[in-house]
Amino acid sequence: MHAVRIAQGLSLVTALLASVAQAGNQPLTGAFVGHGRQCDGQLRVAEKTIEWHTPFANCTKRPYRVIESDLTATKPKIAFLLEGRACGFGVISLTFDPAYPDYWIAKGYRNLDGYKRDSADALSCSMVRLKQ
């Protein structure tokens, strides 16, 4: 009887730890709105797809893979590698700076190499995250 209770307790702890780990791996989702000449539009991140529409880029809904994610850092950041046909961006990143609590910085890079080098040849926009 005592062994059964220990096994049940261990199963419960394992399940709780697995759910916490899974929650930590969840991507950032939501809608972000940008303003201004090059950034007017909306970026939408869903559980499995991303899209970004601006006057200079029309990136329709496409699947992605998260290539960097640290959403618990002082300055949370996540980067998405877009899959499928090209739309002008190969990578889109979102970074939050607590010094500017109303905005996320969205950057669209042409490719993974540009992202890794933080290339100046990128679309960079301050965006407001819409309440869900």
PDB file of all heavy atoms in Angstrom, residues 48-50 59-67 80-87 89-91:
ATOM      1  N   LYS A  48       1.173  27.892 -34.568  1.00  0.00           N
ATOM      2  CA  LYS A  48       1.964  27.210 -35.591  1.00  0.00           C
ATOM      3  C   LYS A  48       2.245  28.060 -36.826  1.00  0.00           C
ATOM      4  O   LYS A  48       2.970  27.629 -37.720  1.00  0.00           O
ATOM      5  CB  LYS A  48       1.246  25.930 -36.025  1.00  0.00           C
ATOM      6  CG  LYS A  48       1.132  24.916 -34.902  1.00  0.00           C
ATOM      7  CD  LYS A  48       0.472  23.648 -35.363  1.00  0.00           C
ATOM      8  CE  LYS A  48       0.374  22.698 -34.175  1.00  0.00           C
ATOM      9  NZ  LYS A  48      -0.137  21.408 -34.522  1.00  0.00           N
ATOM     10  N   THR A  49       1.673  29.258 -36.896  1.00  0.00           N
ATOM     11  CA  THR A  49       1.875  30.106 -38.071  1.00  0.00           C
ATOM     12  C   THR A  49       2.178  31.544 -37.666  1.00  0.00           C
ATOM     13  O   THR A  49       1.899  31.958 -36.538  1.00  0.00           O
ATOM     14  CB  THR A  49       0.627  30.115 -38.980  1.00  0.00           C
ATOM     15  OG1 THR A  49      -0.488  30.622 -38.236  1.00  0.00           O
ATOM     16  CG2 THR A  49       0.327  28.736 -39.535  1.00  0.00           C
ATOM     17  N   ILE A  50       2.760  32.279 -38.632  1.00  0.00           N
ATOM     18  CA  ILE A  50       3.089  33.684 -38.417  1.00  0.00           C
ATOM     19  C   ILE A  50       2.777  34.432 -39.710  1.00  0.00           C
ATOM     20  O   ILE A  50       2.869  33.867 -40.807  1.00  0.00           O
ATOM     21  CB  ILE A  50       4.576  33.834 -38.016  1.00  0.00           C
ATOM     22  CG1 ILE A  50       4.878  35.252 -37.539  1.00  0.00           C
ATOM     23  CG2 ILE A  50       5.488  33.410 -39.144  1.00  0.00           C
ATOM     24  CD1 ILE A  50       6.245  35.383 -36.860  1.00  0.00           C
ATOM     25  N   CYS A  59       3.856  39.327 -45.874  1.00  0.00           N
ATOM     26  CA  CYS A  59       4.231  37.969 -45.518  1.00  0.00           C
ATOM     27  C   CYS A  59       2.966  37.249 -45.047  1.00  0.00           C
ATOM     28  O   CYS A  59       2.536  37.426 -43.914  1.00  0.00           O
ATOM     29  CB  CYS A  59       5.290  38.030 -44.415  1.00  0.00           C
ATOM     30  SG  CYS A  59       6.234  36.538 -44.254  1.00  0.00           S
ATOM     31  N   THR A  60       2.370  36.479 -45.950  1.00  0.00           N
ATOM     32  CA  THR A  60       1.134  35.793 -45.608  1.00  0.00           C
ATOM     33  C   THR A  60       1.399  34.652 -44.624  1.00  0.00           C
ATOM     34  O   THR A  60       2.541  34.266 -44.396  1.00  0.00           O
ATOM     35  CB  THR A  60       0.448  35.242 -46.871  1.00  0.00           C
ATOM     36  OG1 THR A  60       1.348  34.360 -47.531  1.00  0.00           O
ATOM     37  CG2 THR A  60       0.049  36.383 -47.804  1.00  0.00           C
ATOM     38  N   LYS A  61       0.342  34.138 -44.067  1.00  0.00           N
ATOM     39  CA  LYS A  61       0.425  33.098 -43.037  1.00  0.00           C
ATOM     40  C   LYS A  61       1.276  31.931 -43.513  1.00  0.00           C
ATOM     41  O   LYS A  61       1.065  31.390 -44.585  1.00  0.00           O
ATOM     42  CB  LYS A  61      -0.986  32.616 -42.719  1.00  0.00           C
ATOM     43  CG  LYS A  61      -1.098  31.814 -41.454  1.00  0.00           C
ATOM     44  CD  LYS A  61      -2.527  31.353 -41.206  1.00  0.00           C
ATOM     45  CE  LYS A  61      -3.410  32.525 -40.868  1.00  0.00           C
ATOM     46  NZ  LYS A  61      -4.759  32.107 -40.494  1.00  0.00           N
ATOM     47  N   ARG A  62       2.292  31.602 -42.698  1.00  0.00           N
ATOM     48  CA  ARG A  62       3.171  30.480 -43.017  1.00  0.00           C
ATOM     49  C   ARG A  62       3.671  29.822 -41.736  1.00  0.00           C
ATOM     50  O   ARG A  62       3.731  30.467 -40.699  1.00  0.00           O
ATOM     51  CB  ARG A  62       4.332  30.906 -43.898  1.00  0.00           C
ATOM     52  CG  ARG A  62       5.306  31.847 -43.281  1.00  0.00           C
ATOM     53  CD  ARG A  62       6.216  32.497 -44.311  1.00  0.00           C
ATOM     54  NE  ARG A  62       5.445  33.240 -45.284  1.00  0.00           N
ATOM     55  CZ  ARG A  62       5.313  32.891 -46.566  1.00  0.00           C
ATOM     56  NH1 ARG A  62       5.944  31.875 -47.051  1.00  0.00           N
ATOM     57  NH2 ARG A  62       4.564  33.585 -47.374  1.00  0.00           N
ATOM     58  N   PRO A  63       4.028  28.562 -41.816  1.00  0.00           N
ATOM     59  CA  PRO A  63       4.547  27.875 -40.626  1.00  0.00           C
ATOM     60  C   PRO A  63       5.933  28.397 -40.258  1.00  0.00           C
ATOM     61  O   PRO A  63       6.633  28.982 -41.081  1.00  0.00           O
ATOM     62  CB  PRO A  63       4.606  26.406 -41.045  1.00  0.00           C
ATOM     63  CG  PRO A  63       4.589  26.412 -42.525  1.00  0.00           C
ATOM     64  CD  PRO A  63       3.928  27.687 -42.965  1.00  0.00           C
ATOM     65  N   TYR A  64       6.304  28.170 -39.008  1.00  0.00           N
ATOM     66  CA  TYR A  64       7.614  28.609 -38.534  1.00  0.00           C
ATOM     67  C   TYR A  64       8.182  27.580 -37.575  1.00  0.00           C
ATOM     68  O   TYR A  64       7.494  26.680 -37.107  1.00  0.00           O
ATOM     69  CB  TYR A  64       7.521  29.968 -37.825  1.00  0.00           C
ATOM     70  CG  TYR A  64       6.675  29.950 -36.565  1.00  0.00           C
ATOM     71  CD1 TYR A  64       7.182  29.487 -35.359  1.00  0.00           C
ATOM     72  CD2 TYR A  64       5.352  30.387 -36.588  1.00  0.00           C
ATOM     73  CE1 TYR A  64       6.414  29.465 -34.212  1.00  0.00           C
ATOM     74  CE2 TYR A  64       4.572  30.363 -35.440  1.00  0.00           C
ATOM     75  CZ  TYR A  64       5.097  29.907 -34.267  1.00  0.00           C
ATOM     76  OH  TYR A  64       4.327  29.877 -33.127  1.00  0.00           O
ATOM     77  N   ARG A  65       9.474  27.781 -37.282  1.00  0.00           N
ATOM     78  CA  ARG A  65      10.163  27.003 -36.258  1.00  0.00           C
ATOM     79  C   ARG A  65      10.858  28.014 -35.351  1.00  0.00           C
ATOM     80  O   ARG A  65      11.516  28.935 -35.824  1.00  0.00           O
ATOM     81  CB  ARG A  65      11.196  26.076 -36.917  1.00  0.00           C
ATOM     82  CG  ARG A  65      11.960  25.217 -35.951  1.00  0.00           C
ATOM     83  CD  ARG A  65      12.787  24.148 -36.663  1.00  0.00           C
ATOM     84  NE  ARG A  65      13.616  24.641 -37.744  1.00  0.00           N
ATOM     85  CZ  ARG A  65      14.901  24.980 -37.606  1.00  0.00           C
ATOM     86  NH1 ARG A  65      15.491  24.886 -36.426  1.00  0.00           N
ATOM     87  NH2 ARG A  65      15.590  25.411 -38.642  1.00  0.00           N
ATOM     88  N   VAL A  66      10.690  27.873 -34.044  1.00  0.00           N
ATOM     89  CA  VAL A  66      11.352  28.774 -33.095  1.00  0.00           C
ATOM     90  C   VAL A  66      12.831  28.399 -33.041  1.00  0.00           C
ATOM     91  O   VAL A  66      13.174  27.255 -32.775  1.00  0.00           O
ATOM     92  CB  VAL A  66      10.715  28.684 -31.690  1.00  0.00           C
ATOM     93  CG1 VAL A  66      11.497  29.522 -30.686  1.00  0.00           C
ATOM     94  CG2 VAL A  66       9.260  29.129 -31.737  1.00  0.00           C
ATOM     95  N   ILE A  67      13.710  29.390 -33.339  1.00  0.00           N
ATOM     96  CA  ILE A  67      15.146  29.120 -33.338  1.00  0.00           C
ATOM     97  C   ILE A  67      15.855  29.731 -32.138  1.00  0.00           C
ATOM     98  O   ILE A  67      16.999  29.387 -31.848  1.00  0.00           O
ATOM     99  CB  ILE A  67      15.814  29.595 -34.645  1.00  0.00           C
ATOM    100  CG1 ILE A  67      15.551  31.082 -34.885  1.00  0.00           C
ATOM    101  CG2 ILE A  67      15.360  28.742 -35.810  1.00  0.00           C
ATOM    102  CD1 ILE A  67      16.332  31.659 -36.044  1.00  0.00           C
ATOM    103  N   PHE A  80      11.752  33.479 -34.966  1.00  0.00           N
ATOM    104  CA  PHE A  80      11.026  32.495 -35.755  1.00  0.00           C
ATOM    105  C   PHE A  80      11.702  32.331 -37.113  1.00  0.00           C
ATOM    106  O   PHE A  80      11.912  33.316 -37.827  1.00  0.00           O
ATOM    107  CB  PHE A  80       9.585  32.956 -35.995  1.00  0.00           C
ATOM    108  CG  PHE A  80       8.845  33.346 -34.748  1.00  0.00           C
ATOM    109  CD1 PHE A  80       8.834  34.663 -34.307  1.00  0.00           C
ATOM    110  CD2 PHE A  80       8.145  32.403 -34.014  1.00  0.00           C
ATOM    111  CE1 PHE A  80       8.144  35.033 -33.165  1.00  0.00           C
ATOM    112  CE2 PHE A  80       7.446  32.765 -32.866  1.00  0.00           C
ATOM    113  CZ  PHE A  80       7.449  34.081 -32.440  1.00  0.00           C
ATOM    114  N   LEU A  81      12.039  31.106 -37.496  1.00  0.00           N
ATOM    115  CA  LEU A  81      12.541  30.798 -38.824  1.00  0.00           C
ATOM    116  C   LEU A  81      11.336  30.408 -39.660  1.00  0.00           C
ATOM    117  O   LEU A  81      10.664  29.413 -39.364  1.00  0.00           O
ATOM    118  CB  LEU A  81      13.554  29.654 -38.768  1.00  0.00           C
ATOM    119  CG  LEU A  81      14.144  29.211 -40.110  1.00  0.00           C
ATOM    120  CD1 LEU A  81      15.003  30.325 -40.714  1.00  0.00           C
ATOM    121  CD2 LEU A  81      14.969  27.952 -39.925  1.00  0.00           C
ATOM    122  N   LEU A  82      11.044  31.204 -40.683  1.00  0.00           N
ATOM    123  CA  LEU A  82       9.873  30.949 -41.504  1.00  0.00           C
ATOM    124  C   LEU A  82      10.119  29.806 -42.461  1.00  0.00           C
ATOM    125  O   LEU A  82      11.221  29.663 -43.006  1.00  0.00           O
ATOM    126  CB  LEU A  82       9.475  32.202 -42.281  1.00  0.00           C
ATOM    127  CG  LEU A  82       8.709  33.248 -41.474  1.00  0.00           C
ATOM    128  CD1 LEU A  82       9.493  33.770 -40.300  1.00  0.00           C
ATOM    129  CD2 LEU A  82       8.259  34.373 -42.354  1.00  0.00           C
ATOM    130  N   GLU A  83       9.093  28.996 -42.657  1.00  0.00           N
ATOM    131  CA  GLU A  83       9.182  27.845 -43.548  1.00  0.00           C
ATOM    132  C   GLU A  83       8.276  28.086 -44.748  1.00  0.00           C
ATOM    133  O   GLU A  83       7.381  28.921 -44.702  1.00  0.00           O
ATOM    134  CB  GLU A  83       8.788  26.575 -42.802  1.00  0.00           C
ATOM    135  CG  GLU A  83       9.708  26.290 -41.620  1.00  0.00           C
ATOM    136  CD  GLU A  83       9.262  25.127 -40.761  1.00  0.00           C
ATOM    137  OE1 GLU A  83       8.107  24.667 -40.886  1.00  0.00           O
ATOM    138  OE2 GLU A  83      10.074  24.669 -39.945  1.00  0.00           O
ATOM    139  N   GLY A  84       8.528  27.369 -45.818  1.00  0.00           N
ATOM    140  CA  GLY A  84       7.718  27.539 -47.020  1.00  0.00           C
ATOM    141  C   GLY A  84       8.329  28.568 -47.953  1.00  0.00           C
ATOM    142  O   GLY A  84       9.481  28.970 -47.794  1.00  0.00           O
ATOM    143  N   ARG A  85       7.541  29.029 -48.916  1.00  0.00           N
ATOM    144  CA  ARG A  85       8.084  29.950 -49.918  1.00  0.00           C
ATOM    145  C   ARG A  85       8.417  31.300 -49.302  1.00  0.00           C
ATOM    146  O   ARG A  85       7.799  31.738 -48.334  1.00  0.00           O
ATOM    147  CB  ARG A  85       7.139  30.073 -51.101  1.00  0.00           C
ATOM    148  CG  ARG A  85       5.907  30.870 -50.845  1.00  0.00           C
ATOM    149  CD  ARG A  85       4.999  30.911 -52.080  1.00  0.00           C
ATOM    150  NE  ARG A  85       3.706  31.371 -51.641  1.00  0.00           N
ATOM    151  CZ  ARG A  85       3.416  32.649 -51.455  1.00  0.00           C
ATOM    152  NH1 ARG A  85       4.300  33.573 -51.711  1.00  0.00           N
ATOM    153  NH2 ARG A  85       2.229  33.004 -51.013  1.00  0.00           N
ATOM    154  N   ALA A  86       9.379  31.953 -49.904  1.00  0.00           N
ATOM    155  CA  ALA A  86       9.898  33.216 -49.363  1.00  0.00           C
ATOM    156  C   ALA A  86       8.852  34.330 -49.427  1.00  0.00           C
ATOM    157  O   ALA A  86       8.011  34.365 -50.326  1.00  0.00           O
ATOM    158  CB  ALA A  86      11.137  33.631 -50.132  1.00  0.00           C
ATOM    159  N   CYS A  87       8.937  35.241 -48.468  1.00  0.00           N
ATOM    160  CA  CYS A  87       8.026  36.389 -48.439  1.00  0.00           C
ATOM    161  C   CYS A  87       8.797  37.679 -48.192  1.00  0.00           C
ATOM    162  O   CYS A  87       8.217  38.689 -47.867  1.00  0.00           O
ATOM    163  CB  CYS A  87       6.970  36.200 -47.353  1.00  0.00           C
ATOM    164  SG  CYS A  87       7.632  36.295 -45.679  1.00  0.00           S
ATOM    165  N   PHE A  89      11.072  37.842 -45.824  1.00  0.00           N
ATOM    166  CA  PHE A  89      11.702  37.564 -44.537  1.00  0.00           C
ATOM    167  C   PHE A  89      11.984  36.071 -44.423  1.00  0.00           C
ATOM    168  O   PHE A  89      11.135  35.259 -44.723  1.00  0.00           O
ATOM    169  CB  PHE A  89      10.809  37.960 -43.360  1.00  0.00           C
ATOM    170  CG  PHE A  89      10.395  39.392 -43.347  1.00  0.00           C
ATOM    171  CD1 PHE A  89       9.060  39.741 -43.287  1.00  0.00           C
ATOM    172  CD2 PHE A  89      11.341  40.410 -43.389  1.00  0.00           C
ATOM    173  CE1 PHE A  89       8.680  41.068 -43.269  1.00  0.00           C
ATOM    174  CE2 PHE A  89      10.967  41.735 -43.368  1.00  0.00           C
ATOM    175  CZ  PHE A  89       9.624  42.072 -43.310  1.00  0.00           C
ATOM    176  N   GLY A  90      13.165  35.750 -43.931  1.00  0.00           N
ATOM    177  CA  GLY A  90      13.473  34.365 -43.604  1.00  0.00           C
ATOM    178  C   GLY A  90      13.347  34.144 -42.110  1.00  0.00           C
ATOM    179  O   GLY A  90      13.031  33.060 -41.651  1.00  0.00           O
ATOM    180  N   VAL A  91      13.576  35.238 -41.343  1.00  0.00           N
ATOM    181  CA  VAL A  91      13.513  35.174 -39.885  1.00  0.00           C
ATOM    182  C   VAL A  91      12.801  36.430 -39.386  1.00  0.00           C
ATOM    183  O   VAL A  91      13.052  37.535 -39.878  1.00  0.00           O
ATOM    184  CB  VAL A  91      14.925  35.105 -39.251  1.00  0.00           C
ATOM    185  CG1 VAL A  91      14.849  35.153 -37.730  1.00  0.00           C
ATOM    186  CG2 VAL A  91      15.654  33.853 -39.702  1.00  0.00           C
TER     187      VAL A  91
END
